[in-house]
Amino acid sequence: MKPLLSALLPLLCLASSASAAPQAPVAVQSDLAFLSGPPTLTFAADWSVTLSGQPEAGGALDIAYDTSRLPLCRGTGWTITGFAMSNRGPVQSFPVADATTVDAIAQTQLALAQGGTLELWFQNTDATGCSHWDSNLQYNFHTWVTQNPTISFHPAPAWTYTVHGTLQGGTTLMVDYDIGRIAQCRAQYMNYKAWGTTAYYRINGGLVTMLSLTASWGEWDAEFWRQIPAFIPLPPGPATLELWFSTQDRKGCQQWDSRYGQNYVFAIQ
């Protein structure tokens, strides 16, 4: 499921116990210095959001949330709930704070199953029906989760790619493809984007599998497009992986990124 757009519409409320809410979306500030423990995402009372360390698939992400960001809705049974979504996929909810929380800063931890874009947002509710959101003015808070292995395809004009880690049989490969590499075929329909980018792959010359590299965002299917990674389960090696890409739109336009028909070829160990 995807969160209803209506659920993200309430703006953050002003409160005397916290700084004034920002009037524009806040970017996550990163400090990638080495940490002895899991990376930490801190949501401070001044509305700043800071990431310390680098989140990685298969690991954990600590979340430190200052409850003064959502000071209202403190009636009977009040709770602050967090929501997480990876690459526009299913939404996961998790408890952050409630009436039994002692400290102003609530601590919780997320298990990271998948690399790519992780989005977070928060809701404060109580038994009276009061509800307030901390959703970065509907845009949510975004951070990047690495995954090993990953192949990153960089945008034009460089047209390069980078392999991170080892393509080891039995692991899952993340394909991080910049959809700006194919700039053509961008048809719209009734002011909505009516195009998509697709990854194709085959192993040892076998069957071709297609994976979408774009996802919709919002109540309407094509209201906004977001770039998402593709994930390929790698069979036991040794094996050969071929990758290629295309963008197509509703008018029948299709352009390819296939290394001039030779495809991008990688060895699986």
Side-chain angles (χ1 to χ4, degrees), residues 194-208:
W195 57 271
T197 302
T198 304
Y200 303 79
Y201 77 91
R202 63 185 175 188
I203 295 172
N204 294 332
L207 295 176
V208 175

Side-chain angles (χ1 to χ4, degrees), residues 2 13 24 30 50 57 85 90 109 124 139 151 155-156 172 183 185 188 195 199 228 239 254-255 257 261 263:
K2 297 179 181 178
C13 293
S30 296
T50 304
M85 176 170 56
Q109 188 175 84
N124 186 191
Y139 290 94
I151 303 177
T172 298
C185 304
Q188 293 195 334
W195 57 271
I228 58 172
Q254 186 170 29
Q255 291 290 324
D257 177 3
N263 301 335

Side-chain angles (χ1 to χ4, degrees), residues 71-184:
L72 304 182
C73 301
R74 287 297 193 266
T76 302
W78 73 266
T79 61
I80 297 178
T81 303
F83 300 89
M85 176 170 56
S86 293
N87 306 311
R88 310 308 302 175
V91 176
Q92 167 193 357
S93 65
F94 56 94
V96 175
D98 58 28
T100 66
T101 301
V102 175
D103 297 327
I105 300 179
Q107 305 280 346
T108 188
Q109 188 175 84
L110 285 180
L112 303 176
Q114 188 179 73
T117 299
L118 174 67
E119 296 182 49
L120 295 164
W121 64 101
F122 304 87
Q123 182 187 23
N124 186 191
T125 60
D126 65 21
T128 70
C130 180
S131 175
H132 285 92
W133 295 86
D134 181 359
S135 63
N136 205 16
L137 302 175
Q138 308 175 40
Y139 290 94
N140 303 335
F141 302 96
H142 296 246
T143 190
W144 183 257
V145 179
T146 62
Q147 182 163 327
N148 189 359
T150 294
I151 303 177
S152 298
F153 288 84
H154 308 297
W159 289 96
T160 58
Y161 62 82
T162 306
V163 179
H164 306 272
T166 301
L167 274 66
Q168 187 70 45
T171 62
T172 298
L173 169 67
M174 182 167 75
V175 179
D176 176 26
Y177 183 87
D178 192 306
I179 59 177
R181 284 172 65 103
I182 306 176
Q184 300 84 9

Side-chain angles (χ1 to χ4, degrees), residues 236-257:
T240 300
L241 168 69
E242 292 179 68
L243 278 167
W244 64 102
F245 310 90
S246 78
T247 292
Q248 54 285 322
D249 65 24
R250 74 183 306 272
K251 292 184 177 180
C253 176
Q254 186 170 29
Q255 291 290 324
W256 296 90
D257 177 3

